[in-house]
């Protein structure tokens, strides 16, 4: 029995040993297999990523190559229409629609810091052109991301189009004609020398942009007429109707009109240059661009010799009690048109704004203290501007502002939330608006003006 028991125990132990060994081996094999599968999966993922990169590169190369013949035809047409030859081949690149907002963000970051964007918004808000705390940078990204179909980068000297933008589509051909005009401009006039990236004179930057975009829009329009067919007309109409315009429609009026101004008003300006002096006059403008939107809106101010240059408002040192202004800029005739049109008849606003000769505004104390000095053609224009300012200020702040008295020296309004003062100097035809949140801030602005030494165009 003992022998049987020992045999049984040995058999059971042997069976357990075999089972244990078998289980252990199976587990180890499974673990090894799993480890192998993980490594294989990692290798496969790495390889797949590499293949995706290869395929993306091939797709990009294909996208670049497919339209070469079409691009050549459009390049020749643009060169002929503009009357200039390409000095060297245009460098092309493609971008994805998914990445366009990131690119816009990156381009904006190259030019402005977050703090600068915030201060730009504070300045425009102080003038009543944007709501307080408006997310300006984000809205720019949304607006430009919605509108961009292609763009020329003067920093990289490269023309970007969407990778799926086939030139069999008439709208894409027209867009390319526009951007190729920028490539021509850059090769002949160096767009980096143009004052389009000024940070303290939006008016001058907008005027230069109107020359650049107006020229390209004019060439684009001529190319569209040359390329016109029933099918192309249908494609253009379909593209215009299907384009997403929600962000543009929802944007404040100032942003909408500032985005459109260089194209529409710029084309009118460039047409006037061509009619007044042909291509030579247009080319000469790139060497001496318009210095104000007033010159763009009234080309005769640019074409006459000498042209009507803006009056420079010089405050001297803008530091007061150790505080630098958050915003220091020029609004210009185009901006004043928009501001006045919000609360006045548009035609009347245009007539009043046409008397603009210069301006400059400074904003302090987190946007709660504004000095805005404007210069006008004559006393009548200055007085009309003062009167047109009233409804906007009254609407914004819920106050009543009496018209300037017969002495025209000035007017102050005080309520629980704002302290405003509008003054007109008959000797210089200059108007000064002081807008502060309280008496202390107003005194800050008054002291600033008093401490400045008088100079041409200044207090």
């Amino acid at each position: 029995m003992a022998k049987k028991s020992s045999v049984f125990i040995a058999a059971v132990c042997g069976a357990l040993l075999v089972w244990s060994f078998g289980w252990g081996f199976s587990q180890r094999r499974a673990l090894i297999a799993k480890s192998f599968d993980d490594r294989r999966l990692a290798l496969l993922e790495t390889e797949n990523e590499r293949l995706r990169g290869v395929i993306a590169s091939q797709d990009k190369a294909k996208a670049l190559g497919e339209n070469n013949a079409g691009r050549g035809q459009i390049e020749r047409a643009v060169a002929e229409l503009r009357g200039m030859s390409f000095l060297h081949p245009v460098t092309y690149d493609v971008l994805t629609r998914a990445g366009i907002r990131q690119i816009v963000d990156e381009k904006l970051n190259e030019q402005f810091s977050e703090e600068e964007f915030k201060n730009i918004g504070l300045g425009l808000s102080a003038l009543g052109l944007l709501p307080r705390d408006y997310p300006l940078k984000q809205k720019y990204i949304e607006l430009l991301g919605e509108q961009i179909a292609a763009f020329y980068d003067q920093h990289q000297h490269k023309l970007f189009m969407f990778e799926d933008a086939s030139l069999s589509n008439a709208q894409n051909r027209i867009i390319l004609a526009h951007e190729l005009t920028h490539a021509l401009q850059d090769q002949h006039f160096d767009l980096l020398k143009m004052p389009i990236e000024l940070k303290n004179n939006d008016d001058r930057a907008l005027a230069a942009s109107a020359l650049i975009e107006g020229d390209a829009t004019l060439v684009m329009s001529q190319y569209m007429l040359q390329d016109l067919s029933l099918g192309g007309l249908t494609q253009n109409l379909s593209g215009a109707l299907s384009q997403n315009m929600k962000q543009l429609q929802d944007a404040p009026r100032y942003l909408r009109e500032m985005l459109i101004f260089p194209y529409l008003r710029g084309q009118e300006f460039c047409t006037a240059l061509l009619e007044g002096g042909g291509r030579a006059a247009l080319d000469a403008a790139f060497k001496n661009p318009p210095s104000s939107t007033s010159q763009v809106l009234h080309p005769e101010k640019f074409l006459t010799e000498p042209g009507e240059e803006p009056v420079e408002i010089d405050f001297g040192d803008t530091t007061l009690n150790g505080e630098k202004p958050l915003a220091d800029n020029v609004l210009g005739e185009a901006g004043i048109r928009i501001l006045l049109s919000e609360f006045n008849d548009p035609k009347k606003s245009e007539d009043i704004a046409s008397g603009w000769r210069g301006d400059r505004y400074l904003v302090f104390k987190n946007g709660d203290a504004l000095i805005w000095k404007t210069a006008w053609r004559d006393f009548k224009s200055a007085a009309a501007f003062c009167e047109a300012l009233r409804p906007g200020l009254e609407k914004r702040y819920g106050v009543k502002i009496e018209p300037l008295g017969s002495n025209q020296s000035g007017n102050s309004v005080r309520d629980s939330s704002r302290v405003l003062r509008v003054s007109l100097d008959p000797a210089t035809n200059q108007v000064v608006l002081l807008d502060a949140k309280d008496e202390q801030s107003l005194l800050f602005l008054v002291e600033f003006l008093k401490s400045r030494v008088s100079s041409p165009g200044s207090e």
Side-chain angles (χ1 to χ4, degrees):
M1 181 68 178
K3 187 176 180 179
K4 287 183 179 179
S5 296
S6 62
V7 170
F8 175 75
I9 292 171
V12 170
C13 287
L16 287 173
L17 183 62
V18 171
W19 179 83
S20 176
F21 178 80
W23 178 85
F25 178 76
S26 297
Q27 287 296 96
R28 285 194 296 274
R29 184 173 61 184
L31 289 172
I32 292 169
K34 183 178 185 304
S35 176
F36 176 75
D37 286 343
D38 287 345
R39 289 199 303 273
R40 184 170 61 181
L41 181 61
L43 288 171
L44 286 173
E45 287 178 347
T46 300
E47 180 63 11
N48 284 339
E49 185 64 30
R50 187 188 71 80
L51 289 173
R52 279 193 293 270
V54 170
I55 292 171
S57 178
Q58 290 175 344
D59 287 345
K60 183 175 180 178
K62 182 180 179 183
L64 285 169
E66 280 182 345
N67 289 329
N68 278 346
R71 286 172 179 164
Q73 181 273 324
I74 298 173
E75 286 177 9
R76 290 188 293 274
V78 166
E80 182 178 355
L81 289 169
R82 185 56 182 83
M84 294 189 301
S85 299
F86 286 98
L87 302 180
H88 52 77
V90 178
T91 302
Y92 291 91
D93 207 340
V94 295
L95 63 155
T96 65
R97 295 181 186 274
I100 184 61
R101 290 195 178 187
Q102 179 182 345
I103 290 175
V104 172
D105 186 25
E106 290 171 356
K107 297 305 296 180
L108 291 176
N109 287 337
E110 289 176 7
Q111 297 183 43
F112 300 98
S113 67
E114 294 290 337
E115 183 179 8
E116 285 175 325
F117 252 111
K118 178 184 176 183
N119 291 340
I120 292 169
L122 286 173
L124 295 173
S125 173
L127 290 168
L129 291 165
L130 290 181
R132 181 78 180 196
D133 299 322
Y134 186 76
L136 184 60
K137 180 182 178 183
Q138 182 58 37
K139 292 302 180 181
Y140 257 124
I141 293 172
E142 292 173 1
L143 278 167
L144 296 177
E146 175 185 81
Q147 301 304 314
I148 287 177
F151 68 92
Y152 181 82
D153 186 340
Q154 67 268 21
H155 293 275
Q156 298 184 59
H157 310 290
K158 189 179 291 187
L159 197 159
F160 290 84
M161 288 193 77
F162 287 127
E163 59 187 359
D164 58 353
S166 170
L167 293 182
S168 62
N169 180 283
Q171 190 175 22
N172 289 336
R173 293 196 297 273
I174 292 168
I175 291 169
L176 181 56
H178 183 105
E179 300 307 321
L180 280 169
T181 307
H182 291 324
L184 263 180
Q185 294 166 344
D186 194 26
Q187 291 186 17
H188 284 266
F189 307 118
D190 189 356
L191 293 181
L192 289 176
K193 291 182 178 178
M194 300 289 285
I196 54 178
E197 296 179 8
L198 283 178
K199 294 185 178 181
N200 62 351
N201 194 330
D202 285 350
D203 187 55
R204 186 181 292 269
L206 184 61
S209 180
L211 170 64
I212 294 168
E213 296 299 346
D215 181 23
T217 302
L218 190 58
V219 171
M220 178 186 74
S221 301
Q222 294 170 324
Y223 177 81
M224 180 173 64
L225 292 174
Q226 178 180 288
D227 192 51
L228 192 63
S229 65
L230 181 58
L233 182 62
T234 303
Q235 287 177 357
N236 286 325
L237 180 60
S238 174
L241 293 174
S242 63
Q243 186 174 1
N244 182 10
M245 303 290 283
K246 186 178 187 309
Q247 296 292 342
L248 187 62
Q249 292 169 349
D250 292 344
R253 180 177 181 177
Y254 176 76
L255 290 188
R256 290 200 311 269
E257 299 210 13
M258 287 299 101
L259 285 173
I260 293 171
F261 182 93
Y263 301 89
L264 296 185
R265 301 296 170 244
Q267 182 176 4
E268 293 169 358
F269 175 71
C270 290
T271 299
L273 294 185
L274 287 172
E275 291 175 348
R279 287 174 179 166
L282 182 56
D283 292 347
F286 278 87
K287 299 173 184 176
N288 182 30
S291 54
S292 69
T293 56
S294 185
Q295 290 185 344
V296 173
L297 291 166
H298 312 283
E300 65 277 7
K301 294 184 178 183
F302 179 79
L303 290 169
T304 55
E305 291 290 347
E308 184 182 276
E309 292 298 317
V311 172
E312 182 181 355
I313 306 296
D314 183 8
F315 288 115
D317 180 14
T318 57
T319 306
L320 183 60
N321 296 334
E323 182 176 344
K324 276 284 190 183
L326 299 176
D328 178 352
N329 219 313
V330 177
L331 185 58
E333 181 179 341
I336 290 175
R337 271 192 181 190
I338 298 168
L339 179 66
L340 298 184
S341 294
E342 285 290 330
F343 304 99
N344 298 274
D345 174 74
K347 181 62 173 68
K348 178 183 176 182
S349 299
E350 287 186 14
D351 291 343
I352 293 172
S354 68
W356 176 93
R357 294 288 286 110
D359 79 272
R360 188 175 176 190
Y361 63 89
L362 307 176
V363 176
F364 297 88
K365 296 188 176 300
N366 197 35
D368 289 324
L370 164 72
I371 300 175
W372 185 23
K373 180 182 283 191
T374 56
W376 297 88
R377 178 175 55 229
D378 49 35
F379 177 80
K380 181 181 178 181
S381 299
F385 172 67
C386 289
E387 182 62 21
L389 270 182
R390 284 199 308 122
L393 293 171
E394 291 178 342
K395 181 73 173 179
R396 283 175 65 194
Y397 299 131
V399 298
K400 181 65 177 175
I401 303 176
E402 295 299 325
L404 288 176
S406 57
N407 63 0
Q408 302 294 335
S409 59
N411 221 337
S412 295
V413 173
R414 292 168 172 79
D415 73 345
S416 59
S417 61
R418 305 302 299 181
V419 183
L420 306 173
R421 179 178 295 174
V422 181
S423 60
L424 190 165
D425 182 356
T428 61
N429 301 321
Q430 292 186 354
V431 176
V432 176
L433 168 65
L434 303 182
D435 182 349
K437 70 173 182 177
D438 51 38
E439 290 285 352
Q440 184 177 2
S441 298
L442 181 69
L443 289 174
F444 178 92
L445 299 179
V446 171
E447 286 302 314
F448 177 91
L449 288 176
K450 286 182 177 179
S451 65
R452 295 308 171 263
V453 179
S454 296
S455 60
S458 68
E459 190 74 342

